[in-house]
Amino acid sequence: MYKSPSHLPEHARAKIAEALNARLADGLDLHSQIKVAHWNIKGPQFAALHPLFETFAVGLSGFNDAIAERAVTLGGRAYGTVRHVAKTSRLPDYDQQTTRDMEHVRLLAERFDAYLVELRTSRKVAEEQADTDSVDLLTSVITEFEKHSWFLRASLES
């Protein structure tokens, strides 16, 4: 661990940085999956979903950056190469043959829900280590992705 401006002890910072890196891997994986959906979508809902998916990707990119920078601020490192992400992401793989609009919505909704489960697990680590700043960061990601998941689930209603 590197020297950090954080008041937290090194062992706590190490646990939190590890949890943040796990979410960074998931977030980078999810970003690439959203972009695959954005690029390949076809169907009657294209006009509404194509820009929505881009909005999701842009927002997630900012969260990924904040998560990586928080891990480094705590004295850790940020791990985010494509090869590292491929080995460590907890999200299911994305069927890149998918083109239909509502199938992309379903696949993304499933992945958003899986991402939320892991975010809550990492937030619990930060809570246990009394790192309110990381808790706040993760809560903001959770709040945003709960809303995104709701948008997708609402689109799947018949």
Side-chain angles (χ1 to χ4, degrees):
M1 296 289 294
Y2 295 104
K3 185 172 172 49
S4 170
S6 173
H7 70 285
L8 297 169
E10 185 173 325
H11 74 277
R13 292 185 289 114
K15 285 181 183 178
I16 299 161
E18 181 180 347
L20 291 170
N21 268 294
R23 296 306 63 80
L24 177 60
D26 291 349
L28 292 168
D29 187 15
L30 183 57
H31 182 269
S32 70
Q33 293 186 26
I34 294 168
K35 292 302 288 189
V36 165
H38 170 77
W39 296 323
N40 291 299
I41 190 170
K42 305 269 187 283
Q45 300 301 317
F46 171 86
L49 294 173
H50 183 74
L52 180 64
F53 292 172
E54 182 65 11
T55 300
F56 293 163
V58 168
L60 181 54
S61 180
F63 285 133
N64 287 338
D65 192 56
I67 288 168
E69 289 176 350
R70 181 69 186 153
V72 173
T73 298
L74 291 171
R77 294 178 188 262
Y79 300 105
T81 65
V82 172
R83 290 180 182 162
H84 176 80
V85 169
K87 288 188 296 189
T88 61
S89 175
R90 308 229 1 161
L91 301 182
D93 200 10
Y94 199 86
D95 181 359
Q96 296 188 73
Q97 300 306 310
T98 302
T99 59
R100 298 310 304 165
D101 48 7
M102 299 315 286
E103 184 62 11
H104 280 298
V105 169
R106 184 187 65 75
L107 290 172
L108 289 178
E110 290 170 357
R111 277 137 189 89
F112 285 16
D113 291 346
Y115 182 52
L116 283 163
V117 167
E118 299 301 332
L119 285 166
R120 290 183 187 105
T121 299
S122 292
R123 181 174 63 182
K124 184 174 171 69
V125 170
E127 287 170 342
E128 290 168 350
Q129 300 305 317
D131 181 4
T132 56
D133 298 320
S134 293
V135 169
D136 287 349
L137 171 59
L138 293 166
T139 298
S140 65
V141 182
I142 290 166
T143 301
E144 192 67 17
F145 270 82
E146 283 179 344
K147 181 175 70 172
H148 294 339
S149 182
W150 167 64
F151 284 177
L152 295 175
R153 296 279 177 207
S155 298
L156 291 170
E157 292 292 319
S158 45

